[in-house]
Amino acid sequence: AGGREPLFSPDGRGLGFLATGKLMKVPAEGGSPFALAEQQGAGGGSWAPDGRIVFAPIYSDGLFRVSSEGGDSEQLTKPNRERGELGHWWPQVLPGGRAALFTAFCSPVDQSRVGIVSLETGETRELVDGAYFGRYVPSGHLIYVKGNRLLAAPFDVSRGALTGPAKSVLDDLYASPTEALTILDVSRDGTLAWIPGSVADPPREVVSVDRDGRVRPVLAETRRYRGISVSADGRFLATAV
């Protein structure tokens, strides 16, 4: 109950998840959950082959690592505040367990970066500027998000480097600019499952409704508006697009 952001162990026998402000684990077949570390807010996690989990404990810090058996957490990365990085999120441990991808989140989200960190030395490098939610897929590509587009570029896991230009895969992808998050996954045979932006985040109208039920358009343009706040004097409104 209350669990979210599930992640499987490499052998498929364990399940990690976030609940009640903690990173938890439980046998995949069921059992009693066990608390591994504090984790306030979303940010993702990834279970490495060596039994340790790379995760983002809070939005405003770097990536940490903790044993799936419990114990103290070890910090792996620190956001570069001089470059506007607010936090490091959405890690993915790469095959072989020697490095992990992550998103260096900046605001606005189109200033974010997809990076890579060595799990042996802690060295970090930038892979793609102006992108987020980088994921390695079995076809040998790095996929990532720009705006509502999904792109894919050839990627050499052994070197942790891009080896060719990116190509567009999808133009209608659900993406959350405040969380640098999209909802997708790729199976071992290369099948992509995703949520289209036109379904999850459709265009909306902004209207006002008086106490008699009369509806009046406020903004002429239909766009992907999110949230409305009206000023105290009723003359202005603020909305995110």
Side-chain angles (χ1 to χ4, degrees):
R4 56 194 177 107
E5 293 186 39
L7 57 138
F8 273 110
S9 63
D11 62 9
R13 299 175 61 184
L15 187 67
F17 62 96
L18 176 64
T20 62
K22 295 184 183 298
L23 176 65
M24 312 283 289
K25 79 164 187 177
V26 68
E29 294 182 351
S32 299
F34 176 78
L36 299 175
E38 298 288 328
Q39 186 174 9
Q40 302 294 332
S46 184
W47 205 315
D50 66 2
R52 292 184 286 184
I53 298 175
V54 178
F55 70 108
I58 58 175
Y59 274 125
S60 57
D61 207 339
L63 299 177
F64 283 69
R65 178 168 56 184
V66 67
S67 169
S68 57
E69 300 303 317
D72 294 334
S73 298
E74 166 196 7
Q75 187 160 13
L76 289 173
T77 69
K78 292 184 179 181
N80 188 332
R81 305 301 187 192
E82 294 181 356
R83 299 194 64 194
E85 296 178 3
L86 302 178
H88 290 168
W89 307 344
W90 313 122
Q92 182 198 26
V93 177
L94 292 171
R98 299 175 58 189
L101 301 172
F102 67 93
T103 295
F105 178 72
C106 301
S107 184
V109 72
D110 59 10
Q111 296 181 9
S112 299
R113 294 174 280 274
V114 174
I116 185 171
V117 56
S118 168
L119 299 181
E120 298 172 334
T121 67
E123 177 190 1
T124 62
R125 289 185 290 109
E126 179 182 308
L127 294 175
V128 187
D129 190 23
Y132 58 96
F133 205 76
R135 286 291 182 267
Y136 176 75
V137 295
S139 61
H141 290 80
L142 173 69
I143 60 173
Y144 53 88
V145 182
K146 284 195 172 189
N148 288 88
R149 293 189 302 139
L150 181 68
L151 294 98
F155 185 76
D156 185 334
V157 172
S158 62
R159 295 193 295 119
L162 297 170
T163 59
K167 294 184 178 180
S168 180
V169 178
L170 288 172
D171 292 325
D172 182 23
L173 182 69
Y174 167 74
S176 170
T178 57
E179 296 178 301
L181 171 68
T182 189
I183 308 297
L184 61 78
D185 202 4
V186 180
S187 70
R188 291 178 181 176
D189 68 1
T191 301
L192 171 68
W194 83 99
I195 296 179
S198 56
V199 173
D201 190 19
R204 301 174 175 88
E205 296 179 78
V206 176
V207 301
S208 67
V209 183
D210 66 19
R211 296 184 183 278
D212 295 321
R214 290 186 292 266
V215 179
R216 179 178 63 86
V218 176
L219 298 175
E221 191 174 1
T222 300
R223 301 182 67 181
R224 288 189 169 110
Y225 299 110
R226 298 186 182 192
I228 295 291
S229 179
V230 181
S231 64
D233 61 10
R235 298 175 57 214
F236 299 96
L237 66 83
T239 181
V241 182

